[in-house]
Amino acid sequence: MQAASFWQSMVFLVLSAITLGLAVFTITRTNPVAAVMSLVGTFVGLAGIYASLSAHFLAIMQVAVYAGAIMVLFIFVVMILNRDEVAPVSWRGILSRGLGVVTTAWAFSFVTLLVVRAVSPAVGDGKIEGSGALAKLLGVPADVDVAFGTVKSIGKGLFTDFVFPFEAISVLLLVAIVGGLVVSRSAKQEHHAEAVADRDKAVRAQIRPSSIVGAGAEEADAAHSHAAAEHH
Amino acid sequence: MPTTYYLMLSFALFVVGTAGVLLRRNALICLLYTSPSPRD
């Protein structure tokens, strides 16, 4: 039992180190392809952690959907666009953004502590164990049920007990999509795009008069047929 | 494994993702920020 606990700890520590290391790699690489490959490794590490928690279906979905489908799409897009390498850190407005990181980290730890205190009064002594009340809330029972982690139990849990967190994560993903759009389109690019659009509009307005184009085409056709008749 | 370990890992991943989004301003990092992790 002791040996099993030791190996479980070792597996968790190794997978955590891989996941965290590759996550840091993802945000520090200048080459987009290297960043995407690091992200794939992060997802695989997370899948390993899910598997160690007996959530095998979730682990398979993590690899098949995220590492297998979404990240392959990302790699193709990055390679096709051939985007220039960017600096790992943009120093513009570093103070305000650094403050944002610290504030977010503090808010996350604060909310986590609130949840933990609300569920388990023993957390003040750092005594949360896998078999405690919090573990039951988080779905990590001490004795894993046979049905735990199956498609049926996950589906039932998602649409009954955990429907609110499920929908909240959907909103989080929507926010991430909007954030991705805002981040990927800078003000400079937007001004450039608007300038190009205005120029195209002006050029089109100069060429457009269809009556002139139509009349010109008719005249050209008439001249061509006249020349052909004379030739014959 | 104590649940605190998983919470610590999720906290570290969350901070890395936040730092990536705010400091690097790369759309790719947004996926890491929202990636399924033990915090979910």
Side-chain angles (χ1 to χ4, degrees), chain A residues 125-155:
Chain A
D125 306 329
K127 288 180 182 171
I128 308 175
E129 293 299 328
S131 58
L134 178 66
K136 283 176 186 165
L137 178 80
L138 296 177
V140 192
D143 299 320
V144 177
D145 189 21
V146 177
F148 180 77
T150 59
V151 181
K152 186 179 176 184
S153 65
I154 288 177

mmCIF file of all heavy atoms in Angstrom, chain A residues 125-155:
data_model
loop_
_atom_site.group_PDB
_atom_site.id
_atom_site.type_symbol
_atom_site.label_atom_id
_atom_site.label_comp_id
_atom_site.label_asym_id
_atom_site.label_seq_id
_atom_site.Cartn_x
_atom_site.Cartn_y
_atom_site.Cartn_z
ATOM 1 N N ASP A 125 -5.500 23.713 8.763
ATOM 2 C CA ASP A 125 -4.311 22.987 9.213
ATOM 3 C C ASP A 125 -3.610 22.273 8.062
ATOM 4 O O ASP A 125 -2.683 21.512 8.293
ATOM 5 C CB ASP A 125 -4.723 21.937 10.264
ATOM 6 C CG ASP A 125 -5.515 22.583 11.386
ATOM 7 O OD1 ASP A 125 -5.237 23.759 11.666
ATOM 8 O OD2 ASP A 125 -6.408 21.914 11.935
ATOM 9 N N GLY A 126 -4.108 22.506 6.851
ATOM 10 C CA GLY A 126 -3.508 21.840 5.697
ATOM 11 C C GLY A 126 -3.738 20.355 5.711
ATOM 12 O O GLY A 126 -2.882 19.576 5.314
ATOM 13 N N LYS A 127 -4.931 19.953 6.166
ATOM 14 C CA LYS A 127 -5.180 18.528 6.331
ATOM 15 C C LYS A 127 -6.165 17.967 5.305
ATOM 16 O O LYS A 127 -6.875 17.026 5.592
ATOM 17 C CB LYS A 127 -5.723 18.258 7.721
ATOM 18 C CG LYS A 127 -4.687 18.400 8.823
ATOM 19 C CD LYS A 127 -5.302 18.107 10.155
ATOM 20 C CE LYS A 127 -4.280 18.299 11.273
ATOM 21 N NZ LYS A 127 -4.892 18.228 12.590
ATOM 22 N N ILE A 128 -6.250 18.615 4.162
ATOM 23 C CA ILE A 128 -7.194 18.073 3.174
ATOM 24 C C ILE A 128 -6.612 16.782 2.602
ATOM 25 O O ILE A 128 -5.498 16.763 2.116
ATOM 26 C CB ILE A 128 -7.400 19.049 2.018
ATOM 27 C CG1 ILE A 128 -7.772 20.410 2.562
ATOM 28 C CG2 ILE A 128 -8.487 18.559 1.092
ATOM 29 C CD1 ILE A 128 -7.870 21.439 1.491
ATOM 30 N N GLU A 129 -7.380 15.747 2.665
ATOM 31 C CA GLU A 129 -6.923 14.466 2.127
ATOM 32 C C GLU A 129 -7.855 14.037 1.012
ATOM 33 O O GLU A 129 -8.942 14.584 0.837
ATOM 34 C CB GLU A 129 -6.917 13.397 3.228
ATOM 35 C CG GLU A 129 -5.902 13.638 4.312
ATOM 36 C CD GLU A 129 -4.460 13.650 3.807
ATOM 37 O OE1 GLU A 129 -4.181 12.925 2.841
ATOM 38 O OE2 GLU A 129 -3.634 14.387 4.353
ATOM 39 N N GLY A 130 -7.409 13.047 0.271
ATOM 40 C CA GLY A 130 -8.199 12.577 -0.868
ATOM 41 C C GLY A 130 -9.551 12.035 -0.475
ATOM 42 O O GLY A 130 -10.453 11.967 -1.295
ATOM 43 N N SER A 131 -9.735 11.641 0.755
ATOM 44 C CA SER A 131 -11.012 11.064 1.167
ATOM 45 C C SER A 131 -11.895 12.074 1.900
ATOM 46 O O SER A 131 -12.919 11.708 2.455
ATOM 47 C CB SER A 131 -10.764 9.866 2.079
ATOM 48 O OG SER A 131 -9.998 10.286 3.190
ATOM 49 N N GLY A 132 -11.500 13.353 1.937
ATOM 50 C CA GLY A 132 -12.244 14.361 2.674
ATOM 51 C C GLY A 132 -13.467 14.858 1.926
ATOM 52 O O GLY A 132 -13.793 14.394 0.833
ATOM 53 N N ALA A 133 -14.131 15.856 2.543
ATOM 54 C CA ALA A 133 -15.358 16.374 1.958
ATOM 55 C C ALA A 133 -15.084 17.075 0.628
ATOM 56 O O ALA A 133 -15.851 16.951 -0.324
ATOM 57 C CB ALA A 133 -16.002 17.355 2.940
ATOM 58 N N LEU A 134 -13.970 17.813 0.569
ATOM 59 C CA LEU A 134 -13.636 18.502 -0.675
ATOM 60 C C LEU A 134 -13.391 17.504 -1.789
ATOM 61 O O LEU A 134 -13.818 17.705 -2.943
ATOM 62 C CB LEU A 134 -12.384 19.362 -0.472
ATOM 63 C CG LEU A 134 -11.908 20.087 -1.724
ATOM 64 C CD1 LEU A 134 -12.942 21.130 -2.142
ATOM 65 C CD2 LEU A 134 -10.581 20.730 -1.504
ATOM 66 N N ALA A 135 -12.704 16.436 -1.466
ATOM 67 C CA ALA A 135 -12.431 15.416 -2.471
ATOM 68 C C ALA A 135 -13.733 14.830 -3.010
ATOM 69 O O ALA A 135 -13.868 14.588 -4.206
ATOM 70 C CB ALA A 135 -11.576 14.309 -1.876
ATOM 71 N N LYS A 136 -14.709 14.658 -2.114
ATOM 72 C CA LYS A 136 -16.001 14.137 -2.570
ATOM 73 C C LYS A 136 -16.685 15.155 -3.470
ATOM 74 O O LYS A 136 -17.282 14.801 -4.474
ATOM 75 C CB LYS A 136 -16.876 13.803 -1.368
ATOM 76 C CG LYS A 136 -16.463 12.503 -0.698
ATOM 77 C CD LYS A 136 -17.276 12.226 0.534
ATOM 78 C CE LYS A 136 -16.727 10.987 1.235
ATOM 79 N NZ LYS A 136 -17.242 10.867 2.598
ATOM 80 N N LEU A 137 -16.569 16.442 -3.084
ATOM 81 C CA LEU A 137 -17.179 17.477 -3.915
ATOM 82 C C LEU A 137 -16.525 17.512 -5.285
ATOM 83 O O LEU A 137 -17.187 17.673 -6.311
ATOM 84 C CB LEU A 137 -17.022 18.840 -3.237
ATOM 85 C CG LEU A 137 -17.572 20.020 -4.044
ATOM 86 C CD1 LEU A 137 -19.082 20.097 -3.864
ATOM 87 C CD2 LEU A 137 -16.928 21.315 -3.632
ATOM 88 N N LEU A 138 -15.213 17.386 -5.322
ATOM 89 C CA LEU A 138 -14.486 17.449 -6.589
ATOM 90 C C LEU A 138 -14.567 16.149 -7.366
ATOM 91 O O LEU A 138 -14.028 16.044 -8.459
ATOM 92 C CB LEU A 138 -13.010 17.794 -6.331
ATOM 93 C CG LEU A 138 -12.755 19.166 -5.719
ATOM 94 C CD1 LEU A 138 -11.293 19.360 -5.455
ATOM 95 C CD2 LEU A 138 -13.281 20.262 -6.621
ATOM 96 N N GLY A 139 -15.223 15.157 -6.809
ATOM 97 C CA GLY A 139 -15.391 13.895 -7.533
ATOM 98 C C GLY A 139 -14.179 13.004 -7.449
ATOM 99 O O GLY A 139 -13.877 12.290 -8.398
ATOM 100 N N VAL A 140 -13.424 13.065 -6.379
ATOM 101 C CA VAL A 140 -12.272 12.174 -6.225
ATOM 102 C C VAL A 140 -12.516 11.287 -5.008
ATOM 103 O O VAL A 140 -11.969 11.522 -3.935
ATOM 104 C CB VAL A 140 -10.966 12.968 -6.028
ATOM 105 C CG1 VAL A 140 -9.762 12.038 -6.164
ATOM 106 C CG2 VAL A 140 -10.873 14.100 -7.006
ATOM 107 N N PRO A 141 -13.390 10.298 -5.144
ATOM 108 C CA PRO A 141 -13.677 9.455 -3.992
ATOM 109 C C PRO A 141 -12.490 8.589 -3.615
ATOM 110 O O PRO A 141 -11.630 8.295 -4.452
ATOM 111 C CB PRO A 141 -14.846 8.590 -4.460
ATOM 112 C CG PRO A 141 -14.732 8.582 -5.942
ATOM 113 C CD PRO A 141 -14.111 9.882 -6.339
ATOM 114 N N ALA A 142 -12.442 8.213 -2.333
ATOM 115 C CA ALA A 142 -11.328 7.385 -1.873
ATOM 116 C C ALA A 142 -11.356 6.024 -2.558
ATOM 117 O O ALA A 142 -10.338 5.539 -3.039
ATOM 118 C CB ALA A 142 -11.414 7.226 -0.372
ATOM 119 N N ASP A 143 -12.536 5.408 -2.565
ATOM 120 C CA ASP A 143 -12.685 4.133 -3.264
ATOM 121 C C ASP A 143 -13.408 4.402 -4.567
ATOM 122 O O ASP A 143 -14.591 4.730 -4.576
ATOM 123 C CB ASP A 143 -13.496 3.157 -2.408
ATOM 124 C CG ASP A 143 -12.785 2.899 -1.088
ATOM 125 O OD1 ASP A 143 -11.551 2.778 -1.108
ATOM 126 O OD2 ASP A 143 -13.473 2.851 -0.058
ATOM 127 N N VAL A 144 -12.687 4.271 -5.661
ATOM 128 C CA VAL A 144 -13.258 4.627 -6.955
ATOM 129 C C VAL A 144 -14.301 3.607 -7.367
ATOM 130 O O VAL A 144 -14.041 2.402 -7.366
ATOM 131 C CB VAL A 144 -12.144 4.711 -8.019
ATOM 132 C CG1 VAL A 144 -12.752 5.003 -9.379
ATOM 133 C CG2 VAL A 144 -11.153 5.778 -7.639
ATOM 134 N N ASP A 145 -15.492 4.107 -7.705
ATOM 135 C CA ASP A 145 -16.580 3.260 -8.157
ATOM 136 C C ASP A 145 -16.261 2.721 -9.550
ATOM 137 O O ASP A 145 -15.526 3.347 -10.321
ATOM 138 C CB ASP A 145 -17.861 4.104 -8.183
ATOM 139 C CG ASP A 145 -19.078 3.235 -8.443
ATOM 140 O OD1 ASP A 145 -18.973 2.020 -8.202
ATOM 141 O OD2 ASP A 145 -20.112 3.778 -8.869
ATOM 142 N N VAL A 146 -16.852 1.574 -9.865
ATOM 143 C CA VAL A 146 -16.598 0.971 -11.180
ATOM 144 C C VAL A 146 -17.106 1.880 -12.292
ATOM 145 O O VAL A 146 -16.498 1.999 -13.356
ATOM 146 C CB VAL A 146 -17.280 -0.409 -11.262
ATOM 147 C CG1 VAL A 146 -17.081 -1.021 -12.638
ATOM 148 C CG2 VAL A 146 -16.737 -1.326 -10.190
ATOM 149 N N ALA A 147 -18.246 2.541 -12.032
ATOM 150 C CA ALA A 147 -18.857 3.388 -13.068
ATOM 151 C C ALA A 147 -18.186 4.746 -13.181
ATOM 152 O O ALA A 147 -18.499 5.514 -14.098
ATOM 153 C CB ALA A 147 -20.338 3.576 -12.760
ATOM 154 N N PHE A 148 -17.257 5.065 -12.281
ATOM 155 C CA PHE A 148 -16.621 6.390 -12.292
ATOM 156 C C PHE A 148 -15.795 6.578 -13.557
ATOM 157 O O PHE A 148 -14.983 5.728 -13.914
ATOM 158 C CB PHE A 148 -15.721 6.537 -11.061
ATOM 159 C CG PHE A 148 -15.040 7.866 -10.989
ATOM 160 C CD1 PHE A 148 -15.725 8.985 -10.577
ATOM 161 C CD2 PHE A 148 -13.703 7.998 -11.358
ATOM 162 C CE1 PHE A 148 -15.108 10.216 -10.513
ATOM 163 C CE2 PHE A 148 -13.078 9.226 -11.294
ATOM 164 C CZ PHE A 148 -13.787 10.338 -10.875
ATOM 165 N N GLY A 149 -16.033 7.709 -14.224
ATOM 166 C CA GLY A 149 -15.251 8.012 -15.421
ATOM 167 C C GLY A 149 -15.808 7.445 -16.704
ATOM 168 O O GLY A 149 -15.230 7.647 -17.766
ATOM 169 N N THR A 150 -16.942 6.723 -16.638
ATOM 170 C CA THR A 150 -17.524 6.185 -17.863
ATOM 171 C C THR A 150 -18.318 7.282 -18.574
ATOM 172 O O THR A 150 -18.630 8.321 -17.986
ATOM 173 C CB THR A 150 -18.460 5.006 -17.558
ATOM 174 O OG1 THR A 150 -19.480 5.476 -16.687
ATOM 175 C CG2 THR A 150 -17.715 3.868 -16.877
ATOM 176 N N VAL A 151 -18.654 7.017 -19.846
ATOM 177 C CA VAL A 151 -19.395 8.016 -20.628
ATOM 178 C C VAL A 151 -20.742 8.304 -19.971
ATOM 179 O O VAL A 151 -21.176 9.457 -19.873
ATOM 180 C CB VAL A 151 -19.609 7.487 -22.069
ATOM 181 C CG1 VAL A 151 -20.355 8.512 -22.899
ATOM 182 C CG2 VAL A 151 -18.287 7.146 -22.713
ATOM 183 N N LYS A 152 -21.384 7.250 -19.483
ATOM 184 C CA LYS A 152 -22.712 7.418 -18.885
ATOM 185 C C LYS A 152 -22.655 8.298 -17.638
ATOM 186 O O LYS A 152 -23.443 9.242 -17.486
ATOM 187 C CB LYS A 152 -23.276 6.042 -18.527
ATOM 188 C CG LYS A 152 -24.714 6.089 -18.028
ATOM 189 C CD LYS A 152 -25.193 4.689 -17.719
ATOM 190 C CE LYS A 152 -26.604 4.728 -17.117
ATOM 191 N NZ LYS A 152 -27.048 3.392 -16.718
ATOM 192 N N SER A 153 -21.695 8.018 -16.758
ATOM 193 C CA SER A 153 -21.628 8.791 -15.512
ATOM 194 C C SER A 153 -21.219 10.236 -15.785
ATOM 195 O O SER A 153 -21.734 11.164 -15.142
ATOM 196 C CB SER A 153 -20.646 8.132 -14.547
ATOM 197 O OG SER A 153 -19.344 8.184 -15.065
ATOM 198 N N ILE A 154 -20.332 10.444 -16.761
ATOM 199 C CA ILE A 154 -19.927 11.822 -17.089
ATOM 200 C C ILE A 154 -21.100 12.597 -17.672
ATOM 201 O O ILE A 154 -21.381 13.731 -17.287
ATOM 202 C CB ILE A 154 -18.735 11.811 -18.070
ATOM 203 C CG1 ILE A 154 -17.475 11.355 -17.351
ATOM 204 C CG2 ILE A 154 -18.505 13.199 -18.661
ATOM 205 C CD1 ILE A 154 -16.272 11.236 -18.238
ATOM 206 N N GLY A 155 -21.829 11.966 -18.616
ATOM 207 C CA GLY A 155 -22.984 12.629 -19.228
ATOM 208 C C GLY A 155 -24.050 12.957 -18.201
ATOM 209 O O GLY A 155 -24.606 14.061 -18.194
#
